């Protein structure tokens, strides 16, 4: 019996080594979703084959993104997934975001089109389920001075913090200001409230020598709406 257990242990250890080596040589491109999770779980479940737990996660949440988007409590309900594994899984999306944001912060980007702005800011909204509003401050050459969170609201609205916008603008001595917020629903068309807030903000900023250059709404994936590019609302700018 002892020899049988030892043989099983050796098989599992060999599998872990092979999967790890495959990743080091090939990356994750040819990995199936459960293989990705299996590899990840090696670091929270030692000395064990994690294939079953990986399949349990996919079966419960439907996809790799579904697993990463699940709550800590939901993950802990899956057979074989303890608090350490659930915490590790929840760390990963935040780690991806930190990594991508850090690359952006260290990139001397020139954001002179709505497409470039949307690409630059999209990382900040990945996996976000509530509306968030940011202010992008640019210099006269459209280089980034700062990108600051102004407010966070509910699933379908966020307050317009005019004082924070003005303070951030003056602090960074910004030449151009772009307001950015997301629609978690994925529908990027502006609401009447979005339009009214944009017009109101522009009027207030102009009184103190500032000017809004655009207001970008971020949806899902690469989808976005630019007020400035819109035939109907470009008159605001």
């Amino acid at each position: 019996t002892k020899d049988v257990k030892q043989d099983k242990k050796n098989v599992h250890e060999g599998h872990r080594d092979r999967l790890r080596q495959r990743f080091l040589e090939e990356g994750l491109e040819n990995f199936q979703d459960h293989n990705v999770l299996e590899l990840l779980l090696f670091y929270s479940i030692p000395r064990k084959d994690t294939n079953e737990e990986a399949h349990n996660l996919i079966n419960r949440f439907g996809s790799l993104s579904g697993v990463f988007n699940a709550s800590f409590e939901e993950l802990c309900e899956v057979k074989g997934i303890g608090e350490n594994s659930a915490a590790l899984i929840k760390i990963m999306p935040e780690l991806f975001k930190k990594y991508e944001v850090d690359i952006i912060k260290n990139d001397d980007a020139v954001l002179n089109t709505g497409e470039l702005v949307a690409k630059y800011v999209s990382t900040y909204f990945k996996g976000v389920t509530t509306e968030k509003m940011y202010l992008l401050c640019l210099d006269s050459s459209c280089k980034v001075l700062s990108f600051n969170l102004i407010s966070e609201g509910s699933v379908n609205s966020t307050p317009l913090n005019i004082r924070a916008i003005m303070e951030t603008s003056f602090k960074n001595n910004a030449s151009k200001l772009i307001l950015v917020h997301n629609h978690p629903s994925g529908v990027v068309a502006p609401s009447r409230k979005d339009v009214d807030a944009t017009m109101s903000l522009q009027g207030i900023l102009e009184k103190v020598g500032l000017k809004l250059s655009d207001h970008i709404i971020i949806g899902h994936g690469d989808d976005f709406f630019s007020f400035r590019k819109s035939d109907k609302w470009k008159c605001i700018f």
Side-chain angles (χ1 to χ4, degrees):
T1 304
K2 183 177 180 181
D3 289 341
V4 171
K5 290 182 178 179
Q6 187 64 40
D7 287 342
K8 287 184 177 181
K9 179 180 178 182
N10 290 338
V11 169
H12 293 160
E13 288 181 348
H15 175 67
R16 291 167 71 101
D17 290 340
R18 287 191 296 273
L19 196 62
R20 188 183 299 110
Q21 189 60 36
R22 179 184 166 196
F23 161 69
L24 293 174
E25 293 175 356
E26 304 175 10
L28 293 177
E29 185 175 354
N30 296 317
F31 274 52
Q32 294 184 9
D33 287 355
H34 74 273
N35 292 139
V36 175
L37 292 171
E38 189 179 359
L39 179 63
L40 179 63
L41 291 172
F42 286 171
Y43 300 96
S44 60
I45 305 176
R47 300 179 299 279
K48 183 181 183 297
D49 184 359
T50 57
N51 183 273
E52 182 180 350
E53 288 78 6
H55 277 288
N56 289 343
L57 287 165
I58 295 295
N59 291 339
R60 169 69 185 274
F61 301 109
S63 65
L64 190 61
S65 60
V67 173
F68 286 129
N69 288 334
S71 70
F72 177 81
E73 291 75 18
E74 288 173 327
L75 290 168
C76 288
E77 293 173 357
V78 176
K79 183 180 178 182
I81 302 300
E83 291 187 354
N84 286 342
S85 295
L88 179 63
I89 292 168
K90 291 305 299 176
I91 285 170
M92 299 313 294
E94 297 300 319
L95 181 61
F96 304 152
K97 191 181 298 184
K98 279 280 188 182
Y99 169 71
E100 292 183 3
V101 167
D102 189 63
I103 290 176
I104 290 172
K105 284 165 56 179
N106 290 290
D107 183 17
D108 195 19
V110 174
L111 307 182
N112 52 12
T113 68
E115 287 81 5
L116 288 173
V117 171
K119 183 178 180 180
Y120 183 93
V121 305
S122 61
T123 296
Y124 290 81
F125 297 103
K126 287 183 179 178
V128 174
T129 56
T130 58
E131 284 199 13
K132 290 187 175 184
M133 184 173 291
Y134 286 83
L135 183 69
L136 181 62
C137 294
L138 306 174
D139 66 13
S140 58
S141 300
C142 293
K143 290 184 179 180
V144 178
L145 297 172
S146 71
F147 188 60
N148 297 96
L149 178 65
I150 298 300
S151 63
E152 182 173 2
S154 64
V155 294
N156 56 15
S157 67
T158 188
L160 182 65
N161 190 334
I162 295 175
R163 179 176 179 178
I165 291 171
M166 292 173 64
E167 288 179 350
T168 303
S169 303
F170 285 123
K171 178 181 177 181
N172 288 280
N173 195 26
S175 297
K176 300 177 184 293
L177 304 174
I178 298 178
L179 199 65
V180 183
H181 86 280
N182 63 315
H183 281 178
S185 67
V187 179
V188 296
S191 66
R192 184 70 243 181
K193 186 176 180 180
D194 291 333
V195 174
D196 291 343
T198 305
M199 296 177 67
S200 176
L201 178 61
Q202 186 71 292
I204 293 170
L205 291 177
E206 288 179 345
K207 290 178 181 178
V208 295
L210 298 170
K211 187 172 176 63
L212 196 64
S213 296
D214 200 352
H215 182 177
I216 303 286
I217 300 174
I218 302 295
H220 293 165
D222 298 327
D223 204 13
F224 74 96
F225 178 89
S226 165
F227 274 78
R228 192 178 188 88
K229 287 184 61 178
S230 166
D231 290 336
K232 188 174 183 179
W233 304 117
K234 62 183 179 182
C235 59
I236 298 174
F237 309 96

